PDB file of all heavy atoms in Angstrom:
ATOM      1  N   ILE M 206      14.797  58.678   5.202  1.00 98.00           N
ATOM      2  CA  ILE M 206      14.214  57.539   5.922  1.00 98.00           C
ATOM      3  C   ILE M 206      14.411  57.762   7.442  1.00 98.00           C
ATOM      4  O   ILE M 206      13.320  57.577   8.241  1.00 98.00           O
ATOM      5  CB  ILE M 206      14.809  56.242   5.574  1.00 98.00           C
ATOM      6  CG1 ILE M 206      14.394  55.906   4.042  1.00 98.00           C
ATOM      7  CG2 ILE M 206      14.371  55.127   6.484  1.00 98.00           C
ATOM      8  CD1 ILE M 206      15.136  54.673   3.522  1.00 98.00           C
ATOM      9  N   GLN M 207      15.514  58.266   7.841  1.00 98.00           N
ATOM     10  CA  GLN M 207      15.687  58.638   9.276  1.00 98.00           C
ATOM     11  C   GLN M 207      14.736  59.673   9.744  1.00 98.00           C
ATOM     12  O   GLN M 207      14.000  59.554  10.804  1.00 98.00           O
ATOM     13  CB  GLN M 207      17.179  59.225   9.461  1.00 98.00           C
ATOM     14  CG  GLN M 207      17.451  59.726  10.925  1.00 98.00           C
ATOM     15  CD  GLN M 207      18.722  60.496  10.985  1.00 98.00           C
ATOM     16  OE1 GLN M 207      18.880  61.439  10.202  1.00 98.00           O
ATOM     17  NE2 GLN M 207      19.507  60.288  11.988  1.00 98.00           N
ATOM     18  N   ALA M 208      14.427  60.645   8.892  1.00 98.00           N
ATOM     19  CA  ALA M 208      13.404  61.790   9.210  1.00 98.00           C
ATOM     20  C   ALA M 208      12.019  61.138   9.269  1.00 98.00           C
ATOM     21  O   ALA M 208      11.210  61.573  10.168  1.00 98.00           O
ATOM     22  CB  ALA M 208      13.558  62.882   8.228  1.00 98.00           C
ATOM     23  N   TYR M 209      11.774  60.234   8.313  1.00 98.00           N
ATOM     24  CA  TYR M 209      10.417  59.658   8.369  1.00 98.00           C
ATOM     25  C   TYR M 209      10.185  58.756   9.642  1.00 98.00           C
ATOM     26  O   TYR M 209       9.188  58.881  10.315  1.00 98.00           O
ATOM     27  CB  TYR M 209      10.281  58.679   7.149  1.00 98.00           C
ATOM     28  CG  TYR M 209       8.943  57.964   7.044  1.00 98.00           C
ATOM     29  CD1 TYR M 209       7.833  58.615   6.666  1.00 98.00           C
ATOM     30  CD2 TYR M 209       8.955  56.545   7.263  1.00 98.00           C
ATOM     31  CE1 TYR M 209       6.630  57.875   6.573  1.00 98.00           C
ATOM     32  CE2 TYR M 209       7.837  55.837   7.097  1.00 98.00           C
ATOM     33  CZ  TYR M 209       6.616  56.486   6.737  1.00 98.00           C
ATOM     34  OH  TYR M 209       5.471  55.786   6.646  1.00 98.00           O
ATOM     35  N   TYR M 210      11.190  58.013  10.039  1.00 98.00           N
ATOM     36  CA  TYR M 210      11.069  57.255  11.321  1.00 98.00           C
ATOM     37  C   TYR M 210      10.956  58.219  12.519  1.00 98.00           C
ATOM     38  O   TYR M 210      10.213  57.949  13.396  1.00 98.00           O
ATOM     39  CB  TYR M 210      12.284  56.453  11.491  1.00 98.00           C
ATOM     40  CG  TYR M 210      12.513  55.222  10.547  1.00 98.00           C
ATOM     41  CD1 TYR M 210      13.711  54.587  10.488  1.00 98.00           C
ATOM     42  CD2 TYR M 210      11.459  54.919   9.706  1.00 98.00           C
ATOM     43  CE1 TYR M 210      13.883  53.514   9.565  1.00 98.00           C
ATOM     44  CE2 TYR M 210      11.649  53.847   8.861  1.00 98.00           C
ATOM     45  CZ  TYR M 210      12.835  53.158   8.839  1.00 98.00           C
ATOM     46  OH  TYR M 210      12.970  51.984   7.912  1.00 98.00           O
ATOM     47  N   ALA M 211      11.683  59.339  12.474  1.00 98.00           N
ATOM     48  CA  ALA M 211      11.600  60.259  13.564  1.00 98.00           C
ATOM     49  C   ALA M 211      10.206  60.871  13.694  1.00 98.00           C
ATOM     50  O   ALA M 211       9.716  61.096  14.783  1.00 98.00           O
ATOM     51  CB  ALA M 211      12.708  61.409  13.322  1.00 98.00           C
ATOM     52  N   SER M 212       9.611  61.218  12.488  1.00 98.00           N
ATOM     53  CA  SER M 212       8.306  61.730  12.581  1.00 98.00           C
ATOM     54  C   SER M 212       7.249  60.877  13.067  1.00 98.00           C
ATOM     55  O   SER M 212       6.291  61.206  13.724  1.00 98.00           O
ATOM     56  CB  SER M 212       7.960  62.438  11.234  1.00 98.00           C
ATOM     57  OG  SER M 212       7.810  61.356  10.197  1.00 98.00           O
ATOM     58  N   ILE M 213       7.386  59.510  12.724  1.00 98.00           N
ATOM     59  CA  ILE M 213       6.463  58.508  13.246  1.00 98.00           C
ATOM     60  C   ILE M 213       6.639  58.386  14.831  1.00 98.00           C
ATOM     61  O   ILE M 213       5.642  58.375  15.562  1.00 98.00           O
ATOM     62  CB  ILE M 213       6.880  57.147  12.651  1.00 98.00           C
ATOM     63  CG1 ILE M 213       6.442  57.120  11.174  1.00 98.00           C
ATOM     64  CG2 ILE M 213       6.097  56.084  13.457  1.00 98.00           C
ATOM     65  CD1 ILE M 213       6.832  55.815  10.453  1.00 98.00           C
ATOM     66  N   SER M 214       7.879  58.543  15.321  1.00 98.00           N
ATOM     67  CA  SER M 214       8.128  58.437  16.753  1.00 98.00           C
ATOM     68  C   SER M 214       7.485  59.644  17.440  1.00 98.00           C
ATOM     69  O   SER M 214       7.023  59.494  18.578  1.00 98.00           O
ATOM     70  CB  SER M 214       9.485  58.250  17.036  1.00 98.00           C
ATOM     71  OG  SER M 214      10.047  57.013  16.557  1.00 98.00           O
ATOM     72  N   LEU M 215       7.577  60.756  16.818  1.00 98.00           N
ATOM     73  CA  LEU M 215       6.846  61.971  17.417  1.00 98.00           C
ATOM     74  C   LEU M 215       5.415  61.730  17.503  1.00 98.00           C
ATOM     75  O   LEU M 215       4.837  61.947  18.664  1.00 98.00           O
ATOM     76  CB  LEU M 215       7.187  63.206  16.542  1.00 98.00           C
ATOM     77  CG  LEU M 215       6.227  64.424  16.768  1.00 98.00           C
ATOM     78  CD1 LEU M 215       6.525  64.924  18.180  1.00 98.00           C
ATOM     79  CD2 LEU M 215       6.430  65.502  15.673  1.00 98.00           C
ATOM     80  N   MET M 216       4.863  61.251  16.465  1.00 98.00           N
ATOM     81  CA  MET M 216       3.373  60.982  16.478  1.00 98.00           C
ATOM     82  C   MET M 216       3.054  59.873  17.529  1.00 98.00           C
ATOM     83  O   MET M 216       2.087  60.008  18.255  1.00 98.00           O
ATOM     84  CB  MET M 216       2.878  60.498  15.089  1.00 98.00           C
ATOM     85  CG  MET M 216       1.450  60.163  14.988  1.00 98.00           C
ATOM     86  SD  MET M 216       1.032  58.458  15.421  1.00 98.00           S
ATOM     87  CE  MET M 216       1.952  57.547  14.188  1.00 98.00           C
ATOM     88  N   ASP M 217       3.847  58.873  17.587  1.00 98.00           N
ATOM     89  CA  ASP M 217       3.641  57.793  18.526  1.00 98.00           C
ATOM     90  C   ASP M 217       3.728  58.243  19.992  1.00 98.00           C
ATOM     91  O   ASP M 217       2.879  57.794  20.737  1.00 98.00           O
ATOM     92  CB  ASP M 217       4.601  56.639  18.277  1.00 98.00           C
ATOM     93  CG  ASP M 217       4.420  55.454  19.045  1.00 98.00           C
ATOM     94  OD1 ASP M 217       3.301  54.874  18.913  1.00 98.00           O
ATOM     95  OD2 ASP M 217       5.255  54.972  19.749  1.00 98.00           O
ATOM     96  N   GLU M 218       4.666  59.110  20.245  1.00 98.00           N
ATOM     97  CA  GLU M 218       4.732  59.730  21.623  1.00 98.00           C
ATOM     98  C   GLU M 218       3.445  60.454  21.945  1.00 98.00           C
ATOM     99  O   GLU M 218       2.942  60.333  23.088  1.00 98.00           O
ATOM    100  CB  GLU M 218       5.938  60.573  21.666  1.00 98.00           C
ATOM    101  CG  GLU M 218       6.055  61.259  23.042  1.00 98.00           C
ATOM    102  CD  GLU M 218       7.224  62.304  23.040  1.00 98.00           C
ATOM    103  OE1 GLU M 218       7.062  63.314  22.189  1.00 98.00           O
ATOM    104  OE2 GLU M 218       8.196  62.149  23.784  1.00 98.00           O
ATOM    105  N   GLN M 219       2.865  61.147  21.017  1.00 98.00           N
ATOM    106  CA  GLN M 219       1.688  61.932  21.256  1.00 98.00           C
ATOM    107  C   GLN M 219       0.524  60.999  21.506  1.00 98.00           C
ATOM    108  O   GLN M 219      -0.362  61.249  22.360  1.00 98.00           O
ATOM    109  CB  GLN M 219       1.442  62.882  20.240  1.00 98.00           C
ATOM    110  CG  GLN M 219       2.564  63.928  19.895  1.00 98.00           C
ATOM    111  CD  GLN M 219       3.197  64.386  21.207  1.00 98.00           C
ATOM    112  OE1 GLN M 219       2.643  64.941  22.083  1.00 98.00           O
ATOM    113  NE2 GLN M 219       4.579  64.095  21.278  1.00 98.00           N
ATOM    114  N   LEU M 220       0.433  60.009  20.693  1.00 98.00           N
ATOM    115  CA  LEU M 220      -0.637  58.968  20.909  1.00 98.00           C
ATOM    116  C   LEU M 220      -0.513  58.342  22.339  1.00 98.00           C
ATOM    117  O   LEU M 220      -1.587  58.181  22.990  1.00 98.00           O
ATOM    118  CB  LEU M 220      -0.437  57.831  19.836  1.00 98.00           C
ATOM    119  CG  LEU M 220      -1.459  56.699  19.976  1.00 98.00           C
ATOM    120  CD1 LEU M 220      -2.908  57.114  19.768  1.00 98.00           C
ATOM    121  CD2 LEU M 220      -1.158  55.588  18.941  1.00 98.00           C
ATOM    122  N   GLY M 221       0.670  58.022  22.712  1.00 98.00           N
ATOM    123  CA  GLY M 221       0.837  57.491  24.066  1.00 98.00           C
ATOM    124  C   GLY M 221       0.315  58.506  25.177  1.00 98.00           C
ATOM    125  O   GLY M 221      -0.244  58.021  26.194  1.00 98.00           O
ATOM    126  N   ARG M 222       0.576  59.761  24.988  1.00 98.00           N
ATOM    127  CA  ARG M 222       0.058  60.727  25.947  1.00 98.00           C
ATOM    128  C   ARG M 222      -1.483  60.634  26.063  1.00 98.00           C
ATOM    129  O   ARG M 222      -2.060  60.751  27.137  1.00 98.00           O
ATOM    130  CB  ARG M 222       0.436  62.134  25.582  1.00 98.00           C
ATOM    131  CG  ARG M 222       2.010  62.458  25.630  1.00 98.00           C
ATOM    132  CD  ARG M 222       2.241  63.924  25.154  1.00 98.00           C
ATOM    133  NE  ARG M 222       1.386  64.898  25.877  1.00 98.00           N
ATOM    134  CZ  ARG M 222       0.984  66.049  25.415  1.00 98.00           C
ATOM    135  NH1 ARG M 222       1.160  66.387  24.127  1.00 98.00           N
ATOM    136  NH2 ARG M 222       0.422  66.830  26.255  1.00 98.00           N
ATOM    137  N   VAL M 223      -2.127  60.477  24.893  1.00 98.00           N
ATOM    138  CA  VAL M 223      -3.604  60.519  24.868  1.00 98.00           C
ATOM    139  C   VAL M 223      -4.090  59.250  25.590  1.00 98.00           C
ATOM    140  O   VAL M 223      -5.089  59.243  26.337  1.00 98.00           O
ATOM    141  CB  VAL M 223      -4.135  60.633  23.468  1.00 98.00           C
ATOM    142  CG1 VAL M 223      -5.633  60.457  23.535  1.00 98.00           C
ATOM    143  CG2 VAL M 223      -3.681  62.006  22.821  1.00 98.00           C
ATOM    144  N   ILE M 224      -3.456  58.083  25.196  1.00 98.00           N
ATOM    145  CA  ILE M 224      -3.856  56.785  25.829  1.00 98.00           C
ATOM    146  C   ILE M 224      -3.691  56.874  27.362  1.00 98.00           C
ATOM    147  O   ILE M 224      -4.535  56.355  28.151  1.00 98.00           O
ATOM    148  CB  ILE M 224      -3.078  55.621  25.274  1.00 98.00           C
ATOM    149  CG1 ILE M 224      -3.419  55.537  23.742  1.00 98.00           C
ATOM    150  CG2 ILE M 224      -3.488  54.324  25.960  1.00 98.00           C
ATOM    151  CD1 ILE M 224      -4.808  55.345  23.379  1.00 98.00           C
ATOM    152  N   ASP M 225      -2.555  57.433  27.777  1.00 98.00           N
ATOM    153  CA  ASP M 225      -2.293  57.554  29.174  1.00 98.00           C
ATOM    154  C   ASP M 225      -3.348  58.467  29.850  1.00 98.00           C
ATOM    155  O   ASP M 225      -3.860  58.028  30.988  1.00 98.00           O
ATOM    156  CB  ASP M 225      -0.970  58.227  29.479  1.00 98.00           C
ATOM    157  CG  ASP M 225       0.218  57.295  29.171  1.00 98.00           C
ATOM    158  OD1 ASP M 225       0.036  56.048  29.057  1.00 98.00           O
ATOM    159  OD2 ASP M 225       1.393  57.801  29.119  1.00 98.00           O
ATOM    160  N   ALA M 226      -3.828  59.469  29.238  1.00 98.00           N
ATOM    161  CA  ALA M 226      -4.851  60.292  29.738  1.00 98.00           C
ATOM    162  C   ALA M 226      -6.188  59.588  29.866  1.00 98.00           C
ATOM    163  O   ALA M 226      -6.953  59.740  30.834  1.00 98.00           O
ATOM    164  CB  ALA M 226      -5.053  61.573  28.957  1.00 98.00           C
ATOM    165  N   LEU M 227      -6.465  58.749  28.844  1.00 98.00           N
ATOM    166  CA  LEU M 227      -7.625  58.047  28.814  1.00 98.00           C
ATOM    167  C   LEU M 227      -7.777  57.072  29.998  1.00 98.00           C
ATOM    168  O   LEU M 227      -8.877  56.933  30.716  1.00 98.00           O
ATOM    169  CB  LEU M 227      -7.744  57.174  27.515  1.00 98.00           C
ATOM    170  CG  LEU M 227      -9.131  56.604  27.208  1.00 98.00           C
ATOM    171  CD1 LEU M 227     -10.063  57.634  26.589  1.00 98.00           C
ATOM    172  CD2 LEU M 227      -8.959  55.524  26.033  1.00 98.00           C
ATOM    173  N   GLU M 228      -6.668  56.452  30.361  1.00 97.00           N
ATOM    174  CA  GLU M 228      -6.596  55.559  31.515  1.00 97.00           C
ATOM    175  C   GLU M 228      -6.634  56.299  32.847  1.00 97.00           C
ATOM    176  O   GLU M 228      -7.343  55.963  33.794  1.00 97.00           O
ATOM    177  CB  GLU M 228      -5.343  54.710  31.475  1.00 97.00           C
ATOM    178  CG  GLU M 228      -5.323  53.767  30.318  1.00 97.00           C
ATOM    179  CD  GLU M 228      -3.997  53.065  30.074  1.00 97.00           C
ATOM    180  OE1 GLU M 228      -3.015  53.440  30.753  1.00 97.00           O
ATOM    181  OE2 GLU M 228      -3.932  52.066  29.305  1.00 97.00           O
ATOM    182  N   GLU M 229      -5.886  57.477  32.917  1.00 98.00           N
ATOM    183  CA  GLU M 229      -5.888  58.335  34.126  1.00 98.00           C
ATOM    184  C   GLU M 229      -7.266  58.813  34.512  1.00 98.00           C
ATOM    185  O   GLU M 229      -7.656  59.008  35.602  1.00 98.00           O
ATOM    186  CB  GLU M 229      -5.009  59.458  33.988  1.00 98.00           C
ATOM    187  CG  GLU M 229      -3.482  58.946  33.960  1.00 98.00           C
ATOM    188  CD  GLU M 229      -2.522  60.055  33.393  1.00 98.00           C
ATOM    189  OE1 GLU M 229      -3.044  61.254  33.169  1.00 98.00           O
ATOM    190  OE2 GLU M 229      -1.394  59.797  33.310  1.00 98.00           O
TER     191      GLU M 229
END
C-alpha cells in the first residue's frame, strides 16, 4: 500500500507539472 500511494504521488506530481505549463 505504501508503494501504491507513492506511485500515485509520482503521477500527481507530473500532472501538476503539466497544469503549471498550461497556465504558464
Side-chain angles (χ1 to χ4, degrees):
I206 293 171
Q207 178 193 44
Y209 178 70
Y210 292 168
S212 65
I213 290 176
S214 292
L215 166 64
M216 179 275 295
D217 188 55
E218 179 187 60
Q219 304 319 304
L220 176 62
R222 292 177 58 212
V223 176
I224 299 301
D225 287 347
L227 195 74
E228 294 174 346
E229 291 166 3

